[in-house]
Amino acid sequence: MSDKRVSETGKNVSEDSMSTALMEAAQWADELMEAETKSRREKEYVVRDRLAGKIGVNESYLYRLQYKIEEMNDVKGSVYRALMIARHAYGLVSEAGEAAYQKEKALADARNSKLAGLAAAVAGPQNQREMR
């Protein structure tokens, strides 16, 4: 019973039922929300909407990752990938994750992915990112 918890709706929820990818995505979405916030007084829904537009993820999906994660079993691959690329674009990735990002970016470039182009646009020129 130690791995069980009760959700807001009263259902028993096991962390085993949530995928690792889902928990990572929720954490990444939270990190991105913090990075996107411009002031303490800014409304959360405004930040979430702006972030969703920048990374190409539906705002309601980010809301679900933030507040309704107990009801989810897994995360969409496209959302997971968008969050991963956005973390890199915002400079939130550690050095250990750099090689994994470069591999994913190479695969996206090989497929001519629109998401890779979006990440490059969000990141800006290389010299601006190094100055942060």
Side-chain angles (χ1 to χ4, degrees):
M1 187 91 179
S2 64
D3 68 337
K4 300 278 183 181
R5 61 190 171 96
V6 178
S7 71
E8 292 175 8
T9 60
K11 293 182 184 177
N12 285 334
V13 177
S14 168
E15 288 205 11
D16 294 337
S17 67
M18 286 190 232
S19 72
T20 304
L22 177 62
M23 291 187 284
E24 281 182 345
Q27 179 184 355
W28 294 350
D30 187 48
E31 290 173 4
L32 288 166
M33 286 281 293
E34 283 186 33
E36 183 62 29
T37 301
K38 293 180 179 176
S39 73
R40 292 183 324 170
R41 295 180 186 199
E42 194 169 27
K43 301 289 185 189
E44 191 173 275
Y45 68 90
V46 173
V47 175
R48 191 172 37 249
D49 187 53
R50 186 173 57 239
L51 177 64
K54 283 184 178 181
I55 67 173
V57 173
N58 195 338
E59 186 268 338
S60 64
Y61 205 94
L62 291 177
Y63 179 86
R64 287 180 61 208
L65 283 172
Q66 191 172 10
Y67 292 110
K68 302 204 179 238
I69 194 167
E70 300 90 17
E71 299 172 3
M72 300 172 72
N73 293 325
D74 208 357
V75 63
K76 287 182 182 179
S78 60
V79 172
Y80 184 85
R81 192 169 187 311
L83 290 170
M84 181 178 64
I85 290 172
R87 283 183 72 230
H88 183 30
Y90 276 76
L92 300 174
V93 178
S94 67
E95 294 298 321
E98 182 68 25
Y101 170 76
Q102 291 301 331
K103 181 179 176 184
E104 281 292 319
K105 186 172 183 319
L107 290 171
D109 289 342
R111 289 190 308 267
N112 196 16
S113 173
K114 292 179 183 174
L115 197 54
L118 176 64
V122 170
Q126 183 69 22
N127 58 1
Q128 285 183 352
R129 286 189 289 168
E130 290 175 355
M131 292 172 44
R132 288 184 193 175

